[in-house]
Amino acid sequence: MVLPPSGVEDMTQLSTWSYSRLVDFEQCPLRAKLKYIDKIPEPERPLPPGKTEHANDRGTRVHTAAELFVQKPIELAPELATFKEELLRLRELYKQGRVSLEGEWGMDRDWMPTSYNGPKTWLRLKLDAFVQLTPSTGVVIDYKTGRKFGNEIKHNEQGQIYQLAAFLRYPQLQEITVEFWYTDQDDMTQMRYRRDQGMRFLASFDRRGNAVTDATEFPAKPNIFNCKWCPFGPRGTGHCTVGV
């Protein structure tokens, strides 16, 4: 398949993918089409009772606050208080030039590193922080403001693709730790991979990524789980008429 020019999405296929696009596509190809190809705006959601901001807006705000705290000597946002020690350590490593923040990584179809938005970009990944601890060891950090319970499988897969991309991007690395910092629960999940372990995920993600970007048909997969929060179903925009 010929990729479209940089920054331009093919109007009949998904020319690039990310982990979030993979999840949407595998749950319901039609939802992925409506969201990423047709670019149907999602209806505005009312605020949950007792809340002053939506979860996505809050997540963005907390992520930005963590990034700025690592970069500058500023006060820590209240939502990050339980991770103050870890963020101070990250700040020190950042001063030493061993931390990159809000990394935008791109991979081409051969799983070679490329720009985040370029003519060869096939996979896009956004990392909250990457730490080069030693020449052979690194840490990928992802801040999570939502709940952990019920998201374990999804977050585990997200960590698998992060570590895979890190091993491919930095050939000298022999061990990578993926950390999820659950700021609302004061909890941290760690997954450690040796290079030989991490590379075993390549074939599976290659197959799944190609399924996303090779697809020319986008059938709906209506069921109670997929349709519950879908913004395009009968209780949303109505673009999908078979939603449960």
Side-chain angles (χ1 to χ4, degrees), residues 54-190:
H54 289 293
N56 288 346
D57 296 334
R58 179 175 179 270
T60 299
R61 178 175 59 79
V62 173
H63 278 67
T64 301
E67 179 187 6
L68 292 174
F69 181 82
V70 172
Q71 291 176 315
K72 305 174 182 180
I74 61 173
E75 292 295 321
L76 188 63
E79 293 91 343
L80 296 166
T82 57
F83 278 85
K84 184 174 182 178
E85 183 177 339
E86 288 83 0
L87 287 164
L88 285 171
R89 172 61 175 159
L90 208 56
R91 179 189 281 178
E92 289 303 312
L93 292 170
Y94 180 78
K95 291 177 183 177
Q96 298 170 23
R98 293 158 66 184
V99 176
S100 59
L101 300 171
E102 295 298 314
E104 294 185 335
W105 293 2
M107 311 293 290
D108 66 18
R109 272 185 176 260
D110 295 318
W111 290 89
M112 296 297 292
T114 188
S115 61
Y116 189 76
N117 288 303
K120 294 184 178 181
T121 306
W122 178 62
L123 166 64
R124 294 190 178 108
L125 298 145
K126 282 194 174 184
L127 287 77
D128 291 332
F130 176 75
V131 186
Q132 183 93 39
L133 285 178
T134 72
S136 62
T137 60
V139 181
V140 172
I141 299 171
D142 191 71
Y143 311 129
K144 296 294 186 187
T145 53
R147 61 190 179 93
K148 175 181 178 180
F149 181 74
N151 288 314
E152 292 90 346
I153 294 176
K154 183 170 68 173
H155 294 168
N156 187 54
E157 280 198 333
Q158 188 178 10
Q160 290 167 0
I161 198 168
Y162 281 164
Q163 63 83 33
L164 175 62
F167 275 130
L168 293 167
R169 189 177 179 90
Y170 300 101
Q172 75 277 15
L173 291 177
Q174 298 302 315
E175 184 178 281
I176 294 173
T177 300
V178 179
E179 296 183 351
F180 290 111
W181 296 7
Y182 293 92
T183 58
D184 293 342
Q185 287 95 43
D186 187 19
D187 190 10
M188 179 190 295
T189 297
Q190 293 181 319

